[in-house]
């Protein structure tokens, strides 16, 4: 109950790891901490968590949803890279920094929902934008649509925003 940080690559490639119960004292998950834990099947983050480092959960293949807690302020680049069964993400209020490619190659990702209280990000029909909707950040590659109309408010499409989308 006194753990505040999980260091870089602490559980790297722990293929027999199925469940983690994070302590309520945890504030930081460092880079690659759970990288390639291919059988990790659920994530319930504590309300104390403030940062998730780069590639922290890259290659974790079995969990289907992620709820980022209200306390979370930053998620590093490629944090959930290649989480192929991840279907839904919910972003709560405090998150103000999302690294590039955070959900890259998440082939089943269908929707990203952002709490209205979030001051940095928003969503329209499961697509991730900046709060002002001027930057389209990520179109979930598992979203099934024959076409997509980019909103008039958008003046920048971010790097890899549509990468991997086969239907567009």
């Amino acid at each position: 109950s006194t753990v505040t940080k999980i260091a870089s690559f602490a559980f790297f490639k722990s293929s027999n790891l199925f469940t983690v119960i994070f302590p309520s004292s945890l504030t930081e998950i460092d880079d690659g901490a759970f990288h390639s834990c291919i059988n990790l099947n659920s994530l319930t983050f504590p309300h104390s968590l403030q940062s998730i480092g780069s590639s922290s959960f890259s290659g974790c293949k079995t969990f289907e949803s992620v709820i980022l807690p209200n306390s979370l302020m930053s998620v590093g680049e490629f944090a959930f890279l290649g989480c192929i069964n991840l279907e839904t993400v919910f972003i709560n209020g405090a998150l103000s920094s999302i690294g590039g490619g955070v959900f890259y190659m998440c082939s089943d990702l269908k929707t990203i929902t952002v709490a209205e209280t979030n001051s940095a990000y928003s969503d329209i029909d499961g697509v991730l934008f900046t709060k002002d909707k001027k930057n389209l950040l990520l179109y979930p590659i598992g979203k099934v649509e024959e076409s997509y109309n980019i909103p008039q408010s958008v003046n920048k499409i971010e790097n890899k925003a549509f990468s991997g989308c086969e239907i567009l």
Side-chain angles (χ1 to χ4, degrees), residues 65-84:
S65 67
V66 169
I67 298 173
L68 300 176
N70 199 40
S71 57
L72 190 66
M73 293 184 282
S74 67
V75 178
E77 64 183 4
F78 305 113
F80 296 94
L81 168 79
C83 295
I84 58 174

Side-chain angles (χ1 to χ4, degrees), residues 74-136:
S74 67
V75 178
E77 64 183 4
F78 305 113
F80 296 94
L81 168 79
C83 295
I84 58 174
N85 287 327
L86 181 60
E87 294 181 7
T88 61
V89 174
F90 184 79
I91 297 172
N92 270 303
L95 188 63
S96 60
S97 175
I98 298 176
V102 69
F103 300 113
Y104 186 58
M105 295 175 45
C106 294
S107 55
D108 282 356
L109 186 59
K110 292 173 181 58
T111 189
I112 300 169
T113 304
V114 181
E116 288 193 27
T117 56
N118 188 288
S119 61
Y121 302 104
S122 64
D123 75 277
I124 300 174
D125 296 327
V127 179
L128 184 62
F129 294 86
T130 52
K131 185 68 169 187
D132 60 9
K133 296 179 178 57
K134 289 185 178 183
N135 294 13
L136 191 155

